[in-house]
C-alpha cells in the first residue's frame, strides 16, 4: 500500500528512528512524572508512547530491509507470505502502533473505565485484521484515532489558552496529517515523503515541548 | 469565580498545609486550610497515605496527625514540572 520514492529509500529509516527516540524520551519523562506524582494518567500516557516508540523502531528496521530488497516496497502486507519474519514484523508494527494510539485516546478521554480502552483497541485491531486491505484499514483507523486525539487537545487549548497546550495540539495535528498522507500515498508517491516530513515536524514540536519541560525541571533544582 | 482545582493541585495544597506546620498537622487544621469538605479531605488523605506522600500517626483515638514523607517533599519540590507536564499534555 505504501509506496516510497526510490530516492527516499533508507532516509525514511532515519525519520522512523527520530520518531522512535522522541516517543521513547516522552515515555521516559512521563514515567518519571508518574514516579513523582503517582498519576495514573501519566503512567498510561508513558505506556502509550512506549508502544508507539517500539512500533517506530520496528518500522525503522523494516525501512532498512527495504533497502536490502528483503521486503517488497509495494504493498508489504499482501505480497509476502504469512509465515515470514517480515509478516510478523509488520503485524508487530501494526499491533504496537494501534495499542499506543488506543492508550493515548483512552488517556485523553479522561473516563476512568478500562473497558473503554479495551473497546477502542479491540475494535481497531479487529477492523484492521478483518479487512481485505490491511494497510488501508490501518492508516484509516489510526487517522480517525489521531483526529480524535487532536480534537481533544483542541478543546484543551480552547479551555486553557496555554502556549504549551497549543504546541502539543499542533504536534498532534501534524501527526494526523502525516498519517492521512500515508493513507493516500499509493495514489501519489510524494505523499509518502511529505508524510514523513510532516510527522517529523510533529515529533519535533513534541521534542521542543519536552525540552522546555526539562529546562523547567532543571531550574527548580 | 475561582478555578476548580485538579487532583495534583489539591495534593499540593494539602502537602503545603502540612509542611507549613513543621511537617506535621492535625486533620482539623488541614480541613480548615485546604478548603475541602470533610469527606473530600478524608478521601485525599487516604489516597496520599496509600501513595506514601504522607503518613498517619495515631497516638490515641482522639490524637491523629499527618506527617509529610520524603516522597511528599519531593513532590512539592518538583511540583511546577509535574504540573507543567500534566497541563501541557492534558493529563490532570
Amino acid at each position: 500500500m505504501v509506496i516510497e520514492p526510490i530516492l527516499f529509500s533508507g532516509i525514511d529509516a532515519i525519520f522512523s528512528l527520530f520518531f522512535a527516540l522522541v516517543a521513547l524520551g516522552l515515555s521516559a519523562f512521563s514515567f518519571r512524572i508518574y514516579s513523582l506524582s503517582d498519576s495514573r494518567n501519566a503512567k498510561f500516557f508513558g505506556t502509550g508512547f512506549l508502544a508507539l516508540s517500539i512500533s517506530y523502531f520496528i518500522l525503522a528496521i523494516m525501512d532498512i530491509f527495504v533497502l536490502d530488497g528483503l521486503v517488497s516496497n509495494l504493498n508489504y502486507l499482501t505480497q509476502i507470505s504469512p509465515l515470514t519474519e517480515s509478516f510478523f514484523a509488520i503485524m508487530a508494527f501494526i499491533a504496537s502502533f494501534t495499542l499506543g494510539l488506543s492508550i493515548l485516546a483512552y488517556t485523553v478521554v479522561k473516563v476512568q473505565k478500562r473497558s473503554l480502552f479495551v473497546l477502542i483497541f479491540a475494535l481497531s485491531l479487529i477492523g484492521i485484521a478483518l479487512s481485505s486491505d490491511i494497510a488501508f484499514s490501518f492508516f484509516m483507523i489510526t487517522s480517525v484515532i489521531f483526529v480524535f486525539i487532536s480534537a481533544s487537545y483542541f478543546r484543551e487549548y480552547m479551555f486553557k489558552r496555554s502556549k504549551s497546550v497549543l504546541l502539543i495540539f499542533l504536534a498532534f495535528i501534524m501527526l494526523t496529517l502525516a498519517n492521512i498522507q500515508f493513507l493516500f500515498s499509493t495514489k501519489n508517491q510524494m505523499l509518502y515523503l511529505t508524510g514523513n516530513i510532516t510527522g517529523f515536524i510533529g515529533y519535533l514540536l513534541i521534542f521542543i515541548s519536552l525540552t522546555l519541560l526539562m529546562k523547567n525541571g532543571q531550574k527548580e533544582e | 469565580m475561582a478555578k476548580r482545582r485538579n487532583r495534583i493541585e489539591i495534593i499540593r495544597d494539602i502537602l503545603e498545609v502540612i509542611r507549613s506546620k513543621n511537617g506535621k498537622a492535625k486533620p482539623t487544621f488541614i480541613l480548615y486550610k485546604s478548603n475541602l469538605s470533610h469527606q473530600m479531605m478524608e478521601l485525599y488523605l487516604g489516597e496520599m497515605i496509600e501513595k506514601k506522600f504522607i503518613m498517619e500517626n495515631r497516638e490515641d483515638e482522639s490524637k491523629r496527625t499527618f506527617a509529610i514523607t520524603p516522597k511528599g517533599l519531593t513532590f512539592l519540590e518538583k511540583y511546577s514540572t509535574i504540573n507543567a507536564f500534566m497541563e501541557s499534555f492534558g493529563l490532570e
Side-chain angles (χ1 to χ4, degrees):
Chain A
M1 177 55 133
V2 176
I3 302 171
E4 60 174 48
I6 301 279
L7 289 172
F8 199 57
S9 286
I11 299 173
D12 50 357
I14 297 170
F15 278 101
S16 300
L17 268 173
F18 176 75
F19 301 160
L21 290 170
V22 174
L24 188 63
L26 181 54
S27 172
F29 198 81
S30 201
F31 279 121
R32 169 78 180 135
I33 296 293
Y34 167 66
S35 74
L36 291 170
S37 66
D38 260 65
S39 162
R40 188 176 159 274
N41 283 343
K43 180 175 72 172
F44 286 140
F45 197 73
T47 308
F49 268 98
L50 181 62
L52 284 178
S53 178
I54 290 168
S55 72
Y56 285 127
F57 275 120
I58 295 170
L59 185 63
I61 293 166
M62 288 197 305
D63 289 338
I64 291 165
F65 281 137
V66 165
L67 195 62
D68 289 341
L70 293 175
V71 178
S72 168
N73 64 354
L74 286 176
N75 210 349
Y76 296 170
L77 294 165
T78 60
Q79 292 194 359
I80 56 176
S81 163
L83 296 176
T84 60
E85 297 95 349
S86 308
F87 184 85
F88 285 118
I90 291 164
M91 286 298 128
F93 163 72
I94 288 174
S96 56
F97 194 90
T98 310
L99 176 67
L101 267 193
S102 301
I103 294 172
L104 293 184
Y106 168 69
T107 308
V108 300
V109 163
K110 294 179 187 174
V111 171
Q112 295 190 15
K113 287 248 177 211
R114 269 190 211 173
S115 49
L116 179 63
F117 157 70
V118 174
L119 182 68
I120 296 170
F121 182 53
L123 281 177
S124 302
L125 220 51
I126 289 167
I128 293 166
L130 295 181
S131 167
S132 57
D133 190 338
I134 290 176
F136 181 84
S137 310
F138 168 73
F139 285 114
M140 177 61 85
I141 288 170
T142 52
S143 294
V144 169
I145 299 176
F146 266 123
V147 167
F148 176 78
I149 295 170
S150 299
S152 179
Y153 278 113
F154 177 70
R155 279 194 300 274
E156 281 285 327
Y157 171 65
M158 292 307 282
F159 180 67
K160 291 174 187 166
R161 299 285 180 169
S162 138
K163 283 179 194 165
S164 55
V165 180
L166 178 63
L167 204 59
I168 301 306
F169 164 61
L170 290 173
F172 273 97
I173 284 287
M174 290 295 126
L175 296 181
T176 305
L177 289 173
N179 219 61
I180 291 170
Q181 284 171 92
F182 290 138
L183 177 63
F184 294 109
S185 61
T186 45
K187 308 290 182 199
N188 184 345
Q189 273 193 346
M190 288 311 291
L191 286 177
Y192 183 73
L193 171 63
T194 56
N196 271 286
I197 292 170
T198 311
F200 172 77
I201 295 169
Y203 275 104
L204 187 62
L205 290 173
I206 289 175
F207 176 74
I208 291 168
S209 183
L210 204 52
T211 307
L212 291 171
L213 283 166
M214 287 167 79
K215 266 191 177 173
N216 180 48
Q218 279 175 351
K219 270 186 204 167
E220 272 182 328
E221 285 165 22
Chain B
M1 193 175 173
K3 183 191 136 199
R4 200 175 158 180
R5 292 177 294 176
N6 59 43
R7 175 187 165 271
I8 296 289
E9 286 170 333
I10 293 173
I11 289 173
R12 185 240 2 227
D13 289 348
I14 294 173
L15 288 173
E16 287 285 8
V17 165
I18 298 173
R19 185 165 70 167
S20 71
K21 270 287 214 175
N22 293 321
K24 218 180 203 181
K26 291 181 183 177
T28 43
F29 184 77
I30 296 169
L31 184 66
Y32 170 65
K33 286 285 190 180
S34 65
N35 200 26
L36 289 169
S37 67
H38 184 265
Q39 190 181 19
M40 286 308 293
M41 184 198 71
E42 288 293 340
L43 265 170
Y44 272 97
L45 289 175
E47 184 189 335
M48 288 165 74
I49 291 168
E50 194 185 310
K51 304 246 162 96
K52 297 184 174 35
F53 289 124
I54 58 175
M55 52 188 208
E56 185 180 10
N57 298 314
R58 270 184 193 260
E59 288 169 27
D60 59 52
E61 276 307 312
S62 59
K63 284 185 183 169
R64 222 177 135 206
T65 58
F66 296 95
I68 194 166
T69 61
K71 186 175 176 180
L73 287 170
T74 306
F75 177 91
L76 286 176
E77 279 166 38
K78 303 284 184 189
Y79 173 76
S80 76
T81 302
I82 294 169
N83 195 45
F85 179 85
M86 303 290 273
E87 190 184 271
S88 298
F89 291 98
L91 301 175
E92 312 99 317

